[in-house]
Amino acid sequence: MDNKAEKLFGTDGVRGRANQHPITPEMAVKIGRAAALYFQSRKNGAVKIGIGRDTRISGNMLESAAAAGICSAGADAMFADVIPTPGLAHVIRKFDLDAGVMISASHNPFEDNGLKIFGGKGFKLSDEVENEIEALAFKDFPGGRVGKTHQIPDAQDSYAAFLQSLLPGETPLKGLKIVLDASNGATYSIAPQVFSRLGAEIIPLFTSPDGMNINVDCGSQHPETLQKEVIAGKAHLGLAFDGDGDRLIAVDETGARISGDQILIICGAWLKETGRLAQNTVVSTVMSNLGFKKALDRMDIKHIAADVGDRYVLEAMQASGAVIGGEDSGHMIFLDCHTTGDGILSGIQLIGAMLHFQKPLSELGRMMDVFPQVLINIPVTSKPDLATVKPVAAAIEKAENALGDQGRILVRYSGTRSVCRVMVEGPTREATQGTAQAIAEIVKQELGE
C-alpha cells in the first residue's frame, strides 16, 4: 500500500489494535508531529498541546510517542495523565491550550487504542482538518526547534470542580443513593469524587483499573452488574460510563436500562419546561429508535437526525442552534455546558431533570415508548458500497417491504472497526430478531471473515 494514500482517521480519530499499524509508537510520533505542525501554521508563537489517556496498558507507550512527535515539531506537550476525554476538552479551554490529543479506544477492549484530536476551543476536529493533519503525517519533516514536556497542574481537580458547578447548592444530591460503574476506565477516580461532593451516597463499581480490565463485562456496554447492584442496594439510579468517560447509560430504580435516546427525551423535556431548549430542537442520529421521534412529536419538539458519530451530531447542533443532542449509544452533548460528549455531565443533567420533575427515573423513562430493536455486528474483510453488493441490497429491500411502516432497517459499516452493523426495529421482538438475523447471514456470506 502507498502510505501517502492511506486513510488514518475514522469517525472518532485513529483507532486499531495497540502496537499494530496504525496504533504504533512510530505512527503516534507522526500524528503528534503532524498535529503540532498544523496548529503552529495557524498561530504566531509557541504552541501547547495537551495529552490525556484512559487506563489501558498501552496508554503510556502512546502518550510518550505522541509527546515526542509534538516536541519534535517545536511545540510543547502538556500531560494531563489519566483523564476522561471530556476532561481533556475542559483542560484545553481552562488552561488555554492550542489543541489536545486523547489516547483512548473508548468502549473497545484493552487490546485496542486510538488517538483523538481536539482543537483549541475543546471541539473535535472537522473531517477537513483531520485530512490536513493526515497528509502532514506522511510528509518528510526536516526537523528544527525542539519543544518541552510539562505536567498540567491540577488537571483532574479542575475538571471535577467544573462538573460540581453544574448543580447549584452545597449538596444538591443529598438523600440520593447512586450506583456508579466506572468501567475500570478514565472515570474511576473522578466520578465517585464528583457525585460524593454533590452530596449523594455512592456505591462504586469497577473502579480498580489494572490496564487490562477496562470495559470487561462492565460499563456502558455491559450494565448487567450495575442493574443487579441498583436493586440490591435499593438505589435511586445507576450510572454507567465507558472507558474514556464520554458515554452514559443509566439504570432506573427497578433495574431497567435507560438508553441514550430516553435520556435525551427526559432532558429535552426538562430543558423545554424550564425555557432552556434553544430552537425547541433536539438532535440525534439516524440510529435513534422509532419511539424517539414519536416522543418528540408528542412534546411538540423539533427533531434533527444527523449521521452516526458525535462529531456529526455536534455539527448539526451548531448549524441549528440546538443545545442538546446525542446518540442512543450514550454519547450526549449539552452544548450550553460543554463542547463534547460527557458521561458524568450527562448523568448530572439527568439527575437535574429528576429533581425538577420530582419523579423516579422509571416514570420519566416512560416518556418514550421503545420499539423492539436488534443490532447485530458482523466482522467484515472489506467495506464496499452496500448498494453494489446485490445479495445484501436485495435482502434489505425484501425486509423493508415486509416491515412497511411498522419498523425500519439500517445497515452500515462501523467508522472505527471492520464491522458491518445490521440494525432492525419492528413491531415484536421475534419479528425483529428474525429480520435482523436474515440480513446478517447474507452480509456474513458476502463480506464476512
Side-chain angles (χ1 to χ4, degrees):
M1 174 185 279
D2 178 4
N3 275 349
K4 292 185 179 180
E6 183 180 354
K7 182 67 179 169
L8 291 176
F9 287 90
T11 57
D12 200 17
V14 184
R15 196 176 293 186
R17 186 59 59 94
N19 225 20
Q20 297 179 20
H21 185 78
I23 307 300
T24 61
E26 295 81 1
M27 188 57 71
V29 168
K30 291 182 179 181
I31 293 170
R33 178 187 295 146
L37 291 172
Y38 174 83
F39 289 103
Q40 282 176 332
S41 71
R42 266 80 183 156
K43 179 183 178 181
N44 292 323
V47 166
K48 297 180 179 180
I49 299 179
I51 305 178
R53 57 184 168 86
D54 66 20
T55 58
R56 45 195 94 222
I57 195 170
S58 58
N60 293 103
M61 172 184 76
L62 296 169
E63 174 188 57
S64 298
I70 290 166
C71 292
S72 74
D76 286 353
M78 314 293 292
F79 293 120
D81 296 332
V82 173
I83 195 168
T85 293
L88 179 64
H90 164 78
V91 164
I92 291 168
R93 294 191 299 162
K94 174 72 174 179
F95 294 93
D96 197 27
L97 305 184
D98 298 286
V101 177
M102 182 67 194
I103 297 167
S104 173
S106 190
H107 58 282
N108 285 20
F110 88 91
E111 294 93 344
D112 292 348
N113 218 325
L115 294 93
K116 310 176 190 180
I117 303 177
F118 288 87
K121 294 183 179 179
F123 290 101
K124 290 183 180 178
L125 305 182
S126 66
D127 290 339
E128 293 74 22
V129 172
E130 284 188 343
N131 289 338
E132 290 190 52
I133 292 174
E134 192 170 276
L136 287 170
F138 293 112
K139 286 186 176 180
D140 292 333
F141 177 63
R145 190 177 73 84
V146 175
K148 298 180 179 180
T149 62
H150 306 269
Q151 197 72 31
I152 300 174
D154 304 321
Q156 292 81 2
D157 288 343
S158 173
Y159 175 51
F162 156 69
L163 292 169
Q164 289 162 224
S165 72
L166 296 171
L167 288 178
E170 293 252 341
T171 53
L173 303 189
K174 187 175 182 180
L176 281 183
K177 182 185 283 190
I178 306 172
V179 184
L180 296 178
D181 178 348
S183 200
N184 289 316
T187 64
Y188 81 97
S189 174
I190 289 177
Q193 172 186 326
V194 167
F195 286 98
S196 292
R197 289 182 179 177
L198 287 171
E201 180 184 347
I202 299 302
I203 301 174
L205 301 176
F206 304 106
T207 56
S208 301
D210 63 9
M212 294 181 288
N213 60 2
I214 186 171
N215 299 320
V216 176
D217 297 327
C218 58
S220 61
Q221 302 297 105
H222 303 283
E224 296 82 13
T225 300
L226 176 65
Q227 291 171 300
K228 293 176 183 176
E229 290 298 324
V230 167
I231 295 171
K234 297 181 179 179
H236 293 91
L237 75 159
L239 303 175
F241 312 110
D242 66 338
D244 71 330
D246 62 0
R247 292 191 189 202
L248 168 73
I249 292 296
V251 171
D252 71 23
E253 77 282 2
T254 73
R257 180 181 181 274
I258 302 294
S259 69
D261 280 349
Q262 289 172 289
I263 295 170
L264 285 174
I265 290 293
I266 295 166
C267 291
W270 171 45
L271 294 181
K272 178 163 184 169
E273 191 164 300
T274 54
R276 294 179 293 149
L277 186 63
Q279 306 302 317
N280 192 41
T281 298
V282 175
V283 178
S284 72
T285 75
V286 293
M287 292 291 284
S288 282
N289 191 274
L290 271 174
F292 183 79
K293 178 66 165 60
K294 292 180 181 294
L296 289 178
D297 287 343
R298 286 195 302 270
M299 294 187 290
D300 195 27
I301 294 175
K302 298 175 185 176
H303 175 234
I304 296 174
D307 289 337
V308 175
D310 62 326
R311 74 164 67 188
Y312 304 118
V313 171
L314 175 61
E315 288 175 3
M317 292 173 69
Q318 291 173 317
S320 65
V323 294
I324 179 173
E327 301 180 273
D328 188 49
S329 61
H331 275 118
M332 282 159 283
I333 302 171
F334 293 85
L335 205 49
D336 55 344
C337 300
H338 203 0
T339 59
T340 191
D342 189 324
I344 300 175
L345 186 153
S346 297
I348 290 171
Q349 297 292 84
L350 176 61
I351 294 171
M354 290 175 61
L355 296 176
H356 169 78
F357 288 115
Q358 289 292 294
K359 293 179 179 179
L361 187 53
S362 60
E363 185 173 343
L364 294 179
R366 291 195 289 272
M367 287 182 176
M368 171 183 159
D369 296 322
V370 181
F371 278 56
Q373 183 184 93
V374 173
L375 177 64
I376 301 177
N377 294 322
I378 305 100
V380 295
T381 56
S382 62
K383 295 181 178 181
D385 183 350
L386 290 169
T388 67
V389 185
K390 292 183 178 179
V392 174
I396 294 171
E397 182 180 8
K398 178 181 177 181
E400 287 177 334
N401 290 335
L403 280 175
D405 61 1
Q406 296 301 305
R408 69 181 184 121
I409 296 167
L410 184 62
V411 182
R412 55 176 290 275
Y413 297 114
S414 166
T416 58
R417 301 169 61 195
S418 296
V419 162
C420 182
R421 305 193 194 282
V422 176
M423 190 275 286
V424 178
E425 290 171 351
T428 67
R429 172 61 58 176
E430 294 75 17
T432 305
Q433 182 69 49
T435 301
Q437 195 63 51
I439 297 173
E441 286 297 327
I442 301 298
V443 172
K444 185 176 181 180
Q445 290 172 21
E446 298 297 320
L447 303 172
E449 295 179 347

